[in-house]
Structure formats: C-alpha cells, structure tokens
Amino acid sequence: MVKIRLARIGRHFDPSYRIVVSDSRSPRDGRCIEQIGHYDPMLPVTEAVVDEEKAVTWLLRGAVPSDSVKTILSKKGIYAKYLSQKSGK
C-alpha cells in the first residue's frame, strides 16, 4: 500500500519534515517514491508547502494519507479539492 506521510529531517530538538509518498513497508525516513512538500511544526500549519497537483494525483491513485498529513492537506484546502474530483468521476 502507498502512503503519504511525514519523513523527519532537521537537527536535534529542531524538527522539520518532508511530506513524502512511500511504500507503507519502508521505514519512516527510508526510501520514498516522491517528495511532494515540506512542513515545519514550529510554524502554523498553513505555512506548510505542498505541491497541490502531485498530492491530488497520488490521492486519486489510491495513496492513503497519515492522520497528520490529512490534517495538513485539509487546512490547505487540498483534501476538499481531492474529494470534489473523486465525486465528480
């Protein structure tokens, strides 16, 4: 199964995350299929950078977002766009 999840980068006590598409069997910071954005938890969620087109494409292909990524996508309005495209099919 393909998942959209966070991969941790950054220094000790200064976390930063990449939003990646990866196989669910790969480790958290392991090999990923594609990087679609990044997120700094010290900033508001709305400051996260996500490639909207790639995110919607992967969601339509059946990728399952983690809870934290789903929250980020919802607050950016990307998840609503995905749901409208999915129902429009």
Side-chain angles (χ1 to χ4, degrees):
M1 178 186 337
V2 177
K3 290 196 166 243
I4 302 175
R5 61 185 180 190
L6 299 176
R8 186 182 165 126
I9 56 173
R11 300 181 312 189
H12 192 60
F13 294 115
D14 187 19
S16 185
Y17 297 92
R18 288 184 181 142
I19 301 171
V20 297
V21 178
S22 63
D23 190 300
S24 62
R25 297 169 291 183
S26 66
R28 178 192 71 184
D29 300 332
R31 189 171 148 233
C32 70
I33 299 170
E34 186 172 19
Q35 179 182 341
I36 61 172
H38 56 87
Y39 166 63
D40 184 355
M42 301 301 171
L43 299 174
V45 175
T46 55
E47 295 293 319
V49 176
V50 182
D51 186 334
E52 190 173 318
E53 186 178 316
K54 288 181 182 179
V56 171
T57 301
W58 278 106
L59 289 168
L60 289 172
R61 288 184 188 173
V64 178
S66 66
D67 292 337
S68 53
V69 172
K70 190 173 183 180
T71 301
I72 293 169
L73 295 178
S74 295
K75 290 194 178 184
K76 301 274 298 171
I78 297 170
Y79 202 73
K81 188 174 283 190
Y82 153 68
L83 291 175
S84 68
Q85 285 188 13
K86 183 179 176 186
S87 66
K89 279 189 169 182

